[in-house]
Amino acid sequence: YSLSKSLGMLGSAEDNSKLAAVISQLAEVEEKVEKVQEQQAKDDFYLLSELIHDYIGLVGSVKDAFNERVKSWQAWQSVQRDLNKRRENKVKAELASKQDRVNQLRQEIAENERQLDMAQENFEKISRIIKKEFEAFDVKKCKDFKDTITEYLENMLKSQESLVTHWERFLPAIKQMEP
């Protein structure tokens, strides 16, 4: 049971008519206060939980982007290791005077160098994109946070002003009550 309902029942059961009237007015004020608090709780929940939900989603996206960057770096390093092995094998083949193998390894090395350049370019491109997106995200995050908190505080202020108004309207009734 809410306080306003309890006060309403108490006011209807009171024998003293002036006290009953004041208690009934208090019940009305409490009902209005409950509605204001309900709306404030909804604002709290929806505004702040939406902001948090959006941030969680953005953090997940950032994590995915960094995982792609890591994969790109690993691919680049893998191509670098393959190239180094082929270069070592070419030197061994040259020392062993295996000209057919040397020619084959030259072709493979040329292909690996091309792959290495592409892998490095891909890694640098992903890095640039992530940096650019992160900077944009940082600006957007600050603006969204500011806008949401501003809206939240404005709603909170309206709620508090409404509460003050309800209590100020009730104050004369309690002051006029005689002992």
Side-chain angles (χ1 to χ4, degrees):
Y1 242 41
S2 69
L3 179 58
S4 63
K5 288 181 183 178
S6 297
L7 287 170
M9 289 189 325
L10 180 62
S12 64
E14 178 58 48
D15 290 337
N16 182 325
S17 61
K18 289 181 181 179
L19 183 56
V22 171
I23 292 173
S24 292
Q25 285 179 328
L26 180 58
E28 290 173 19
V29 170
E30 277 298 326
E31 187 175 339
K32 291 174 184 175
V33 166
E34 288 171 9
K35 287 180 183 175
V36 169
Q37 289 172 339
E38 235 174 72
Q39 185 58 47
Q40 190 175 344
K42 286 179 186 176
D43 288 346
D44 291 356
F45 178 75
Y46 291 115
L47 285 174
L48 297 178
S49 67
E50 186 176 319
L51 180 68
I52 291 167
H53 179 266
D54 289 349
Y55 281 157
I56 289 170
L58 289 171
V59 167
S61 296
V62 168
K63 179 183 170 190
D64 292 344
F66 278 116
N67 284 338
E68 287 304 312
R69 183 174 183 263
V70 167
K71 287 178 189 176
S72 175
W73 184 82
Q74 289 171 339
W76 176 25
Q77 297 307 305
S78 175
V79 171
Q80 181 68 54
R81 283 190 298 275
D82 288 348
L83 178 60
N84 291 343
K85 280 184 185 178
R86 285 198 168 85
R87 284 179 176 159
E88 289 171 8
N89 288 340
K90 181 181 159 248
V91 168
K92 289 178 187 176
E94 287 172 342
L95 291 175
S97 299
K98 296 182 179 178
Q99 196 57 40
D100 291 345
R101 181 72 178 137
V102 169
N103 290 336
Q104 177 189 358
L105 287 169
R106 277 191 185 128
Q107 291 174 346
E108 290 174 7
I109 288 171
E111 176 62 22
N112 266 108
E113 286 172 341
R114 189 184 64 73
Q115 290 174 351
L116 182 68
D117 289 342
M118 287 175 47
Q120 181 178 359
E121 184 179 315
N122 187 45
F123 173 76
E124 290 171 355
K125 180 181 175 185
I126 288 173
S127 296
R128 281 190 307 273
I129 290 170
I130 287 174
K131 183 177 180 182
K132 181 181 170 186
E133 289 295 321
F134 191 76
E135 287 169 355
F137 162 75
D138 200 34
V139 169
K140 183 183 182 317
K141 175 188 70 165
C142 287
K143 182 186 179 322
D144 287 350
F145 185 79
K146 176 188 170 194
D147 292 348
T148 300
I149 295 301
T150 300
E151 183 179 354
Y152 171 76
L153 292 174
E154 287 171 352
N155 289 343
M156 182 80 83
L157 183 60
K158 287 176 190 172
S159 295
Q160 296 304 314
E161 288 170 348
S162 178
L163 290 173
V164 168
T165 301
H166 294 313
W167 287 114
E168 283 178 341
R169 287 183 187 152
F170 175 68
L171 188 60
I174 201 73
K175 285 184 176 180
Q176 289 177 359
M177 199 174 107
E178 294 175 16

